[in-house]
Amino acid sequence: MADFLSGLDDALAGYAELVPTGELVPSVEALTGRLREVARRAPGLCRMRRIGSSRQGRALDVLSVGTGRRPVLVVGGPHPNEPVGYATIAFLAELTAARPELRDGMSWHFLPCVDPDGAALNEEWTSAPLDLHTEHRHFFRPALAEQPEWTFPIPWRGGVHRFGLPEQQALADLVDELEPTAVVSLHNAEFGEPFFILSRDVPGLAARLAAVAARSGLPVGEAPPSDVVGWPVLGDGVYRMPPIEELLIRDHDRQAPAYGAHLTHYAARHGSLTLLPEVPRWHAATRFHDGPPTALTALARALTGESEEVQRLLEQAGPHDDAFARAAADTLAVADSVTRAWLRRAEDTAPVTGVELAEAHYARVVLTLRSTAMALRSATEAQPGRAAPHVRERLEAVLAERAERCRRRLRIRPVELRRLVAVQACAALAAAALTR
């Protein structure tokens, strides 16, 4: 581990040896079974244990490999619609158990999924061949206030606001127990280039993360993606997460905040380095060039119209307070915030860069597909027989139309899963190697 770059090729070779060649991501149940098998084969080295339960009673299991004094915690599936980490966890668990040099002074701890209830609602597409329409026909991403990674307690109105999620509490307890040297939370996006989020700067790490992406044929982008605009830049494609005080929406009209502190902020109490590797599932062949600010105005109007239609259909579906409807409403609120930001940017006379336009097109696709998908699931699954047939039929048609438009407009194709796993896994190895 002393010289990470010299060992990178070995790690990639290990992936070829240890992981099947298929493109399918394992389900959480299948992944947990594989981790149990790792523990069964090496009972003196590995231990599988339950650290808590989900809101619906599903187990939260952790595999520990090794007993070194520098714990590394790896979280797969921090959001239930981001399954690449399941494949990466499978690889890293096998790899660290098989290679003693990767445990030199360290122990590895693998939490397959922090939201197994949400993962179960995505299983019809996460464990199937990747298809944009299929993905969103069975898509679920919970509202912000129901996401375990973003609901750590925060100061609020003179007190402390807690979100009451057992998954978040189990994750907090695990962090407090391990006091990890490094925490790696494995994320994936739909589009764009890989990028990395760190809790702090570590000499040499940013350059190594960019090298990891380049070696896998997925170089980082030239400009920050929309998720991290304005965040401190630590290197090419590497950004530092701001303190929670800078991120919170101080909306005193709210009865409760929309989200809390991130895992990154909570782990900082133990001095942990936190790394979030973000990798894209889809490659978009369409290239965007610099354009006038009116290009963003047009996108804002288009997204507003699409969101308003979904909102109308949600209302026509009748009263509802299910997880799908809450998530759809949350996504529509994000879309409203995004369109307002585009309109503010359009007031600037400076040309809009091709990178900005690409990010805006990606955001429009993601937000309109997600809101439509979860409104449809609310109408068809959460309240079957209550929503009018014309509402369900219209949502089905809108989803199909928008998915097809995305295919044509962006000319998308899936990114090979092996390359995504290589980026995430080798980024984790790099962070572990440079953290003391």
Side-chain angles (χ1 to χ4, degrees), residues 370-392:
R370 288 181 178 182
S371 61
T372 307
M374 292 187 289
L376 175 58
R377 294 194 74 177
S378 176
T380 57
E381 296 177 42
Q383 44 181 342
R386 290 174 56 191
H390 78 274
V391 172
R392 299 194 301 268

Side-chain angles (χ1 to χ4, degrees), residues 3 14 24 46 81 108 172 177 183 289 296 325 359 383 386 402 408 434:
D3 185 351
L24 299 185
C46 303
N81 62 297
W108 291 82
E177 174 201 331
V183 177
H289 304 287
L296 281 181
E359 285 291 324
Q383 44 181 342
R386 290 174 56 191
R402 294 177 182 179
R408 292 196 313 267
L434 289 179

Side-chain angles (χ1 to χ4, degrees), residues 200-238:
R200 66 173 187 270
D201 195 13
V202 174
L205 181 54
R208 293 188 180 195
L209 293 174
V212 159
R215 281 241 185 151
S216 299
L218 296 168
V220 297
E222 298 176 358
S226 57
D227 288 357
V228 297
V229 168
W231 291 16
V233 179
L234 302 180
D236 292 343
V238 184

Side-chain angles (χ1 to χ4, degrees), residues 78-79 114 147-152 168 171 185 187 261-263 276:
H79 299 303
V114 75
Q147 296 178 10
E149 194 187 42
W150 268 110
T151 47
F152 285 82
Q168 177 275 318
L171 182 56
S185 184
H187 287 252
H262 188 267
L263 170 62
L276 282 63

Side-chain angles (χ1 to χ4, degrees), residues 313-354:
L313 290 167
L314 260 179
E315 292 169 357
Q316 291 173 26
H320 45 260
D321 184 28
D322 57 87
F324 298 120
R326 291 192 299 272
D330 195 73
T331 305
L332 291 169
V334 172
D336 180 63
S337 175
V338 166
T339 55
R340 284 187 278 112
W342 289 347
L343 291 174
R344 287 193 300 271
R345 171 64 179 88
E347 293 174 357
D348 188 345
T349 57
V352 179
T353 68

Side-chain angles (χ1 to χ4, degrees), residues 1-4 68-73 102 104-108 179-184 198-206 208-209 267 270-275 426-436:
M1 292 292 290
D3 185 351
F4 169 73
R69 291 184 294 177
R70 291 191 290 124
V72 178
L73 171 61
L102 299 180
D104 184 15
M106 294 188 300
S107 58
W108 291 82
E179 299 185 3
T181 301
V183 177
V184 182
L198 289 170
S199 57
R200 66 173 187 270
D201 195 13
V202 174
L205 181 54
R208 293 188 180 195
L209 293 174
H270 300 295
S272 307
L273 171 73
T274 303
L275 164 66
C426 291
L429 293 171
L434 289 179
T435 308
R436 293 291 184 267

Side-chain angles (χ1 to χ4, degrees), residues 52-83:
S53 301
S54 71
R55 280 157 279 181
Q56 295 179 13
R58 291 182 172 86
L60 297 170
D61 295 314
V62 170
L63 172 70
S64 297
V65 180
T67 58
R69 291 184 294 177
R70 291 191 290 124
V72 178
L73 171 61
V74 185
V75 180
H79 299 303
N81 62 297
E82 300 183 10

